[in-house]
Structure formats: structure tokens, C-alpha cells
Amino acid sequence: MSDSPPTLPPFERIPDPLEGAAPDLPPLPPLRAFPRSRTRDELRRAVATALVLGTAWLGGQLALMGIRGDLAQLPRGYLLAFGVLPVIAGVLCLLSAVSAGRLGLGARTALLAGLSLFTPLAFVFGAALGPLPYAGAAEGDFRDGVVCFHLVVAWTLVPLVLAGFALRATFVGRAGFRAAALGSGAGLLAAAAITWHCSIPGSLHVGFGHGGAILASVLLGALVLARVTRA
Amino acid sequence: MARYAEGHDPSFAVVYANIGARLLRFLRRLSGADDVANDLLQETLLRMHVARGAFRPGAAVLPWSYTIARNVFLDRARSKKHSSLSLDGLEQGGVPEPADSARAESQVLAKETARAVERALSRMSDARREAFVLIRFEGMSVADAAEILGVSENAVKLRAFQAYEAIRAEMARLEQVPPPGRSR
């Protein structure tokens, strides 16, 4: 059974029930009756402010908590995979979330969904299935994983709240996917930050303690932030 | 709209003059009732106002405003869970009273056909109705309708096709019923 018809049938055969009916257009309510809204420049400034504050928050947390002690022992590939690439992926997620797309309704659903799901899952499975970065590295136990999970989620909350405040009621189309991409972006940036702090490079610890928090952030975006940002 | 998004408030009246009637008709088609459509229009205008800063310069206003109108409609449908749509609006619609007996029959037939279309639209799912209304009545391309609905073009085609089939079936049933006055 085919999923879609090859061509559309002659829709013009269907008469328009409202043809010839002149709609009784009500008068435009006075704008003073509406709540104050932000102009394009004000919205841009709000987004830029949120981005600066969110980055400062993550950087400040990292500065406060300190850089990991085993940095010299870590291979460059490990730092690239879990400390740098997530930053790039996170920025891509954020850009796709705020992108206007062809009609100003947001980027394509497939792109948003792909970035929101693929990048966190790549982090989780890349870490969980990868080897220990160096001999004798700490693997961490379940409690360590829970601590890091909570830490990364806490780190993502501030950027998510800032994003919600800056972008409230502005996502005209695909609000769920765009908010999920925001969650993914914030989660990836926070996970990259914790890579530079947490000195436990165990596969399961990084995969589920750090990566699981990214997935939690995606869910927070899709389920909570979407309600705030939808126009 | 671009000027309005930049903060020029009086431009909203121009936007409203250009798209208000089409928005109202779109909402009327989705909701099936004039009074509901009027309420939804007010909410749509409010949300357009709040979201104006997010309007992309150079973008078409109609798809943007249709998407907001659809959000408003879906929110209302979810909150009220109103699945049964009223046909009251059709009684106020554009089919005029017959001027003479020669035209009366064709006008009655047109009215019955219009009612059959509305009936079929009211019985189908929101997803099918939206796709069909956007393409057939609002003149949107499949690509633009897909953007507005946030689904693939194939999905839009399939939904519109299924809506078309449902309406054709309703119209076929109508053709089997003899017109008033000829039942005996």
C-alpha cells in the first residue's frame, strides 16, 4: 500500500461552502488593549543577552568548580570528542532552534529532530561504548554518576530559563522541536563544561551521568520550554 | 508586517486590513462556526502582536499568521475538546435566497452541496481538514502547507487526498438523494 498519492486529485471539483460569503470582519481592537510586545531589535537584544548570560553562567560554574586534575593524562581525541565537539554541536542546536527557516516558521522538522536526538545520543553511546582514555583512570560508581547528572541538569537550568524568558511566545511553528533543540544545545554545552571539570572518565559515568543529563535537558525543552516559547 | 515588527504600531492596521478577512475565513473553516471564528481571530491578533519581533523580514505574512491562527485553534480544540462542529455559520453563508423559481432548484442544490462539504469537513480529523482547507480553499502550495502544519509534503498530500475522498463520498451520497419536491 502506497503512503502517498502520486499527484493531487482535482480539488477544484469541491465547491467552496463560503464562496460569495462576505465575512463580517470585526474592527481591529486598539493596540493599547494588547500586552506590550517586543520589536525585532528588542527580541535580538534579549536573545543576545540570554546567550551571554548563559555562557557566563556555565563558564563561571567551571571556574568556580575548577579544571580536572587529570587533564595532562587525557588524550587529545578524548578532549575533542567530549569537551569540544559538544560545544560545536550545542551551538548548532541553538542556531537551528532560533533559525527562521524558509517561511519564518523555523528550521525543517527533520533537521531539528535530528540535531535534538542524534547529538545527545551520539554523546551517550560514544562515551558508554568507548574505552577508558588512559590506564588507571577512575571509573566512578553509581553515586558519582548521580552527582554529575544532577550537576549537569542544574547547569542547564539557568540557560533554559534564560532562553524561555528571551524567546517567550515567539516560536510560531514547530515550537516543540525548536524547544527540544534549545534543550539539546544547553545540555551539550553543560556536558562539555563538565568534561573539563569532572575527573572521572569512566565510560558508563560519562555516558549516563553526563550524557543522560543532556537527554533530560532535551525532555525539559520539549515538554516545558515548548509551552513557554510557543506563539 | 516588517515595519510593524520593527515597532511601527500603526502598520498593524494595514496588516489587518490586508489579511484580516482571510484569517477570519480560515478560522471559520477550521472551527465551523462564525462566533467561534471571531473569538479565535481576536486571540490570533493578540498572539501576532506578541510574536511580532520574531517575524522574519521578507517572509510572507499569510503562512506566518495562518500558523499562529492554527495554534490558537488547536489550543481551543484541546481545551474545549470540541470535536463536533456547528453548521450554523453556513446558514449565514453566501448562498442567497432564490430570486425566481427557475434558479431556485440550482440554488437549493448548491446549498445542499455546500452543506455536504461542510458536513464532511466537520466529521474528519483536524489534520485532514487543515491540509485540505489550506490547499483547496486558501490556495497554499503543498510545500507551504507542509511548512505551516510542520509535517512532510507527502503527509500533507496524503491528508488532503483523504479529506478529498471523504468529501467526494459525502457528495456522492447527496446525489443519490432526490432533490426536495421530486421525491415522489
Side-chain angles (χ1 to χ4, degrees):
Chain A
M1 185 178 158
S2 174
D3 281 343
S4 64
T7 54
L8 288 175
F11 283 168
E12 63 276 6
R13 286 185 189 166
I14 306 295
D16 182 355
L18 297 184
E19 191 171 3
D24 191 12
L25 195 62
L28 179 65
L31 281 182
R32 62 177 177 277
F34 288 169
R36 190 187 174 281
S37 66
R38 291 170 297 171
T39 63
R40 185 180 301 126
D41 287 341
E42 288 170 332
L43 183 59
R44 278 186 190 149
R45 278 197 294 274
V47 171
T49 304
L51 194 60
V52 168
L53 289 178
T55 307
W57 161 260
L58 288 177
Q61 293 300 309
L62 185 58
L64 191 70
M65 306 285 281
I67 301 294
R68 63 194 297 167
D70 63 344
L71 196 63
Q73 294 169 270
L74 286 173
R76 283 186 182 174
Y78 180 88
L79 283 174
L80 181 71
F82 300 107
V84 177
L85 283 183
V87 175
I88 298 169
V91 170
L92 283 177
C93 285
L94 297 179
L95 285 176
S96 70
V98 298
S99 165
R102 187 172 69 87
L103 294 177
L105 304 176
R108 286 195 163 275
T109 306
L111 175 68
L112 292 165
L115 280 172
S116 303
L117 286 176
F118 176 75
T119 48
L121 289 176
F123 186 102
V124 169
F125 288 108
L129 302 177
L132 273 179
Y134 58 90
E139 298 209 36
D141 56 18
F142 179 74
R143 187 175 161 277
D144 295 324
V146 171
V147 169
C148 273
F149 178 88
H150 286 163
L151 194 60
V152 177
V153 169
W155 284 9
T156 64
L157 284 180
V158 169
L160 286 181
V161 169
L162 289 168
F165 187 74
L167 294 165
R168 63 188 182 278
T170 58
F171 285 172
V172 171
R174 307 171 183 68
F177 288 108
R178 297 171 80 179
L182 283 177
S184 181
L188 283 162
L189 292 174
I194 199 98
T195 296
W196 294 91
H197 163 70
C198 174
S199 55
I200 302 175
S203 302
L204 292 178
H205 175 84
V206 175
F208 297 103
H210 301 183
I214 309 173
L215 293 173
S217 179
V218 173
L219 281 177
L220 272 174
L223 300 178
V224 180
L225 198 58
R227 291 170 178 262
V228 180
T229 54
R230 184 167 178 264
Chain B
M1 186 67 206
R3 291 189 68 198
Y4 175 57
E6 286 164 4
H8 188 254
D9 285 349
S11 296
F12 197 36
V14 179
V15 172
Y16 184 63
N18 285 325
I19 67 166
R22 290 195 65 174
L23 270 181
L24 184 60
R25 285 169 72 99
F26 176 58
L27 289 165
R28 165 67 180 77
R29 293 183 205 283
L30 291 186
S31 67
D34 287 334
D35 54 343
V36 175
N38 272 322
D39 288 348
L40 295 176
L41 178 66
Q42 301 300 313
E43 178 67 19
T44 301
L45 295 173
L46 177 68
R47 292 200 198 179
M48 284 174 64
H49 176 71
V50 171
R52 66 173 167 170
F55 180 78
R56 184 173 71 83
V61 182
L62 266 182
W64 188 79
S65 53
Y66 276 173
T67 309
I68 294 180
R70 175 177 175 262
N71 289 346
V72 172
F73 168 73
L74 290 178
D75 286 349
R76 185 185 176 100
R78 283 172 193 148
S79 64
K80 301 269 182 180
K81 295 187 186 299
H82 77 132
S83 56
S84 62
L85 297 173
S86 161
L87 296 177
D88 294 347
L90 189 65
E91 301 301 334
Q92 306 161 19
V95 184
E97 288 300 313
D100 55 55
S101 58
R103 286 177 14 214
E105 188 175 324
S106 65
Q107 289 184 347
V108 167
L109 183 63
K111 189 170 181 175
E112 285 301 314
T113 306
R115 285 182 66 86
V117 174
E118 286 252 321
R119 202 161 44 241
L121 284 170
S122 71
R123 286 176 184 163
M124 66 182 65
S125 67
D126 288 343
R128 289 180 185 176
R129 187 186 319 118
E130 289 168 346
F132 185 80
V133 162
L134 282 171
I135 294 174
R136 166 61 183 94
F137 299 137
E138 303 302 332
M140 292 279 160
S141 66
V142 172
D144 286 0
E147 287 271 332
I148 291 170
L149 301 176
V151 296
S152 69
E153 291 183 24
N154 275 344
V156 170
K157 281 186 189 175
L158 186 64
R159 291 174 187 182
F161 178 78
Q162 289 165 337
Y164 172 81
E165 291 286 288
I167 295 170
R168 291 282 296 168
E170 187 69 32
M171 289 169 66
R173 270 195 291 275
L174 183 69
E175 286 164 11
Q176 290 166 3
V177 178
R182 290 196 178 178
S183 56
R184 280 174 243 185

